[in-house]
Amino acid sequence: MKIASFNVNSIKARLPRILHWFDEAKPDVCVLQEIKCIDENFPASEFEDRGYNVEVFGQKTYNGVALLSKHPVEDVIRGVPGFEDEQSRYIEAVILPEDTDPVRVGGLYLPNGNPAPGPKYDYKLAWMEAFTAHAESLLALEEATVLCGDYNVIPEPQGVYAPDKWREDALFRLETRQAFRRILNLGYFEALHHLKPEPFYTFWDYQGGAWDQDKGLRIDHLLLSPQAVDRLVGGDADRAVREPNSGSKETKPSDHVPVWVEIA
DNA sequence: ATGGTGGAGCATCCA
């Protein structure tokens, strides 16, 4: 089964492109970030028509996440447990495929944190600490778990086109990378980092011709529990989705591309 | 000198 994550930067502005990608990539499960709408305005029927169960944790104007699954879902969680958060940034559910074992999928939109230092960066670190505690509690369940989304973390210098320009940025500061490694060190496996031999990016800024010059960042990640790694078959980042005319000539691409893993 | 990219939603905030 294919499990994907896609920061769409507004579901409304992106719908034709998202549906085009869904029809081609046919993910079994997909978590979306930055839907930028309240639950009632999510275009659920477009996905239900394609056979998906739709779970939304929306927010007006900013943030907002959703989880779409072709298989039945149970135990849906909205928000990181135990963390008081005014922003909609996390959704989780257990996926129950008919033909294979369950997989728990968490979809996250981790705070950007700029400017750093400052209150926004403090919020990012607090969010990461709460998420790390939750990730640790999930490992104790000994289930196949995939925690994926826009982590807003560049894990290593190879994940950014000009690391020296990004040293003080909230996405790349040492403190940020340390906090990300604490999640990995619990026992999570950063799937695409290990699957793909060459450095790659998942985000290109709209400004300054970043796409044309391939000035990107690797900030969308899929973290797998050991039980999920046992079933890991493959995965990739769908770079072509960032092309100006991919899927729709009338609308612009997201600044992120979808990332996905195949789980047996 | 100014704007520079894009989305939400209507003045600015966020990324």
Side-chain angles (χ1 to χ4, degrees):
Chain A
M1 64 180 308
K2 190 171 185 174
I3 300 170
S5 169
F6 190 4
N7 180 325
V8 296
N9 185 19
S10 168
I11 187 82
K12 191 179 170 203
R14 215 69 60 208
L15 193 58
R17 284 176 182 262
I18 297 169
L19 294 175
H20 182 262
W21 176 74
F22 263 77
D23 291 338
E24 278 199 338
K26 298 181 172 59
D28 290 274
V29 182
C30 184
V31 289
L32 304 176
Q33 299 90 36
E34 283 203 273
I35 60 173
K36 295 186 174 179
C37 68
I38 57 175
D39 293 9
E40 303 86 275
N41 292 344
F42 188 88
S45 60
E46 298 282 3
F47 296 96
E48 287 161 354
D49 290 349
R50 288 167 168 79
Y52 289 90
N53 296 300
V54 177
E55 299 289 341
V56 183
F57 186 32
Q59 184 184 329
K60 190 183 175 183
T61 311
Y62 304 119
N63 314 309
V65 291
L67 187 152
L68 312 173
S69 172
K70 284 197 168 180
H71 310 289
V73 303
E74 65 175 22
D75 298 342
V76 181
I77 292 171
R78 289 170 171 79
V80 176
F83 184 64
E84 284 289 324
D85 198 347
E86 292 178 359
Q87 306 182 10
S88 302
R89 294 182 174 276
Y90 187 69
I91 190 164
E92 178 187 307
V94 174
I95 314 299
L96 300 166
E98 297 76 1
D99 54 345
T100 185
D101 293 327
V103 181
R104 184 181 296 266
V105 175
L108 60 141
Y109 177 46
L110 207 146
N112 176 295
N114 279 306
K120 288 190 173 182
Y121 191 62
D122 294 341
Y123 170 61
K124 178 177 195 155
L125 293 179
W127 205 100
M128 291 183 86
E129 189 178 342
F131 178 71
T132 304
H134 180 59
E136 183 169 25
S137 74
L138 291 182
L139 280 184
L141 302 175
E142 301 190 59
E143 299 172 342
T145 298
V146 177
L147 302 178
C148 53
D150 178 0
Y151 278 76
N152 266 315
V153 174
I154 302 162
E156 50 167 8
Q158 290 76 14
V160 49
Y161 63 94
D164 286 334
K165 289 182 181 173
W166 286 76
R167 299 280 173 206
E168 300 308 317
D169 191 278
L171 279 62
F172 191 54
R173 316 180 89 207
L174 284 176
E175 212 175 345
T176 304
R177 285 186 268 162
Q178 241 163 34
F180 183 71
R181 277 201 301 276
R182 276 196 281 276
I183 308 172
L184 298 180
N185 290 340
L186 295 171
Y188 281 93
F189 184 86
E190 207 201 296
L192 296 193
H193 173 63
H194 293 292
L195 285 172
K196 289 173 69 68
E198 298 295 330
F200 65 98
Y201 303 135
T202 66
F203 165 93
W204 294 258
D205 200 289
Y206 289 119
Q207 300 186 63
W211 169 253
D212 293 325
Q213 299 167 66
D214 198 23
K215 292 181 173 177
L217 311 175
R218 185 166 75 84
I219 54 178
D220 298 87
H221 309 298
L222 299 133
L223 270 54
L224 274 58
S225 72
Q227 293 78 7
V229 180
D230 289 343
R231 296 162 57 185
L232 178 61
V233 178
D236 210 342
D238 287 346
R239 181 184 167 98
V241 172
R242 188 63 175 79
E243 294 284 357
N245 284 330
S246 156
S248 158
K249 288 175 181 168
E250 293 76 35
T251 60
K252 296 180 167 69
S254 171
D255 39 8
H256 294 252
V257 295
V259 294
W260 56 271
V261 285
E262 179 77 30
I263 301 287

